[in-house]
Amino acid sequence: MVSAYSLYEGSYSVDKSKKFIPFDPKKDDPKDRPGSLFIHVHPFLVETKAGLVLLDTGLGRRTDDDELMIHANIKKLGFDIEDVRYVLMSHLHKDHANGMVDFKDGTKRVAFPNAEYVIQEQEWEAAFSTESPSYRTDVFEVLQRSGNLLFVNGDGRLNDEIRYELSGGHSEFHQVFHIGTGEEHFFFGGDELPEPEEIFRNFIAKYDYDGRRAKQLREEYWAAGAPEGWVFLFYHSKSIAIGRPEQREDGTYKIIDATK
């Protein structure tokens, strides 16, 4: 049984303004939003021996009861927020990082008080020093004062289950994560492998810091992970969020839904 869960936060369109506008394909027409990308947002929760691990934190959207959506989604699965031990951040663009902090009733607090937030130090410095609309520095300021930050540099290992790799394709200091727990090898590629379709329709994307490197990395991740049976976690997928490779008769691989 796969011990990973999508914490789905909805479907959005995003244009050059970097604003994420809710998009309902049942009633909204893409033609009304020219120049937009259409994405889903899936933070992930993974059970490990060391406790719960969160992979990126979503947009920070709130429920009708004024609760962080990511909190509500974790509770729906039967888990406690206090049991999240690591928050693993691929990078700090706001659609991945806004849920790191809970803004409510005039107070600002880290959303996962018992967790270490694992961030590449140079990604943090680059995000804090820019005026790009892709980042929210008020979120970073709360986290900076919390004592929950764990900066890492380059490649390394957090424990016997979790390792990280500086990848540098989507943002200059983007990182990806491998989690080996039980019999599963979970791979989270952040925005360098955000959708399963990008494995088979590989291209150089204008929205990547280094599009050629991101393209190469996608090829490498699939070449390594498909024959090994990695479970791939796709943050922006509109189809399969948690996928497992399955070999065809001709020796090639396809992605199937690992939750079924």
Side-chain angles (χ1 to χ4, degrees):
M1 187 71 179
V2 173
S3 53
Y5 311 88
S6 163
L7 304 173
Y8 178 59
E9 283 199 349
S11 175
Y12 301 88
S13 67
V14 56
D15 60 18
K16 62 183 180 181
S17 72
K18 306 299 183 182
K19 293 181 180 179
F20 286 76
I21 309 299
F23 179 81
D24 184 346
K26 295 180 180 179
K27 64 179 184 180
D28 296 325
D29 189 341
K31 294 179 182 177
D32 295 331
R33 306 186 188 185
S36 294
L37 293 173
F38 297 89
I39 62 171
H40 289 195
V41 174
H42 298 270
F44 293 98
L45 192 72
V46 178
E47 297 178 81
T48 75
K49 291 184 298 184
L52 297 176
V53 172
L54 183 63
L55 292 152
D56 288 352
T57 64
L59 278 160
R61 294 296 167 97
R62 309 191 74 84
T63 67
D64 293 339
D65 297 325
D66 198 26
E67 181 179 24
L68 271 178
M69 189 178 293
I70 197 167
H71 281 180
N73 288 342
I74 289 172
K75 292 175 184 177
K76 285 178 186 176
L77 293 170
F79 298 111
D80 293 326
I81 305 306
E82 292 76 14
D83 291 336
V84 176
R85 293 291 177 256
Y86 291 104
V87 177
L88 308 181
M89 298 301 303
S90 65
H91 63 302
L92 295 175
H93 288 164
K94 62 186 178 183
D95 57 317
H96 294 252
N98 279 5
M100 295 193 299
V101 169
D102 189 5
F103 296 91
K104 185 176 181 179
D105 299 329
T107 62
K108 307 172 184 179
R109 59 176 68 89
V110 291
F112 302 94
N114 296 331
E116 291 185 289
Y117 287 68
V118 180
I119 299 171
Q120 284 283 331
E121 187 169 15
Q122 288 178 292
E123 170 72 10
W124 176 268
E125 292 172 352
F128 232 144
S129 63
T130 184
E131 296 182 359
S132 168
S134 295
Y135 301 101
R136 273 189 61 182
T137 55
D138 58 335
V139 170
F140 306 154
E141 289 166 355
V142 176
L143 189 56
Q144 186 178 47
R145 296 191 296 267
S146 70
N148 292 58
L149 270 171
L150 176 59
F151 286 134
V152 295
N153 288 278
D155 302 344
R157 183 175 287 277
L158 291 177
N159 55 34
D160 61 354
E161 295 177 288
I162 303 170
R163 61 186 174 90
Y164 52 89
E165 296 174 355
L166 177 63
S167 49
H170 178 67
S171 63
E172 187 174 3
F173 304 105
H174 187 286
Q175 63 182 339
V176 300
F177 295 96
H178 298 263
I179 302 176
T181 183
E183 297 181 355
E184 300 288 10
H185 179 150
F186 296 103
F187 175 75
F188 181 59
D191 268 358
E192 285 161 0
L193 189 51
E195 299 182 82
E197 292 78 8
E198 292 194 12
I199 294 171
F200 309 106
R201 188 177 54 87
N202 206 350
F203 56 91
I204 296 174
K206 294 180 180 179
Y207 49 73
D208 286 327
Y209 167 77
D210 187 337
R212 291 187 182 277
R213 176 162 177 76
K215 179 180 184 297
Q216 178 185 348
L217 287 169
R218 286 192 287 273
E219 294 171 350
E220 292 176 359
Y221 298 147
W222 184 241
E228 294 294 326
W230 295 1
V231 177
F232 289 81
L233 307 176
F234 300 106
Y235 191 82
H236 287 309
S237 179
K238 296 183 285 292
S239 55
I240 295 172
I242 301 175
R244 187 191 301 278
E246 182 177 82
Q247 193 169 27
R248 300 185 181 97
E249 291 185 2
D250 64 2
T252 62
Y253 291 88
K254 63 181 179 179
I255 279 280
I256 63 171
D257 193 332
T259 64
K260 295 180 179 180

